[in-house]
Amino acid sequence: MKKTITIMTEEFENEKTGEKVEGITIMVDGGLKQLFEIIKREKNQYTDNVSIVQDALMKGLENIKNTI
């Protein structure tokens, strides 16, 4: 399983406030798609790719925070 991830960023502007924010797109293909399919099959709490990414991001950020 090839371990790569493709992430793209784009800048958006809130039309009301003018605030600029970064949007992030994660491409779920190849080995990442295979891994996500295994996770969804084995762990009932993950019903879609978004739930996996959300949980992984929050757990990863918590881990990083704990090293600061």
Side-chain angles (χ1 to χ4, degrees), residues 28 32-53:
V28 180
L32 185 60
K33 181 178 180 181
Q34 292 173 356
L35 177 59
F36 277 30
E37 292 302 320
I38 293 167
I39 291 170
K40 287 186 288 188
R41 185 174 62 241
E42 298 295 324
K43 298 286 187 176
N44 292 334
Q45 72 263 32
Y46 300 114
T47 58
D48 56 28
N49 293 343
V50 172
S51 62
I52 297 171
V53 171

Side-chain angles (χ1 to χ4, degrees), residues 3-54:
K3 295 182 181 180
T4 61
I5 186 168
T6 304
I7 301 175
M8 299 182 299
T9 64
E10 188 173 351
E11 187 174 86
F12 296 92
E13 184 174 329
N14 183 314
E15 293 178 359
K16 294 180 182 176
T17 67
E19 178 185 13
K20 294 187 179 189
V21 296
E22 184 178 12
I24 299 172
T25 301
I26 301 170
M27 306 304 286
V28 180
D29 63 355
L32 185 60
K33 181 178 180 181
Q34 292 173 356
L35 177 59
F36 277 30
E37 292 302 320
I38 293 167
I39 291 170
K40 287 186 288 188
R41 185 174 62 241
E42 298 295 324
K43 298 286 187 176
N44 292 334
Q45 72 263 32
Y46 300 114
T47 58
D48 56 28
N49 293 343
V50 172
S51 62
I52 297 171
V53 171
Q54 287 174 327

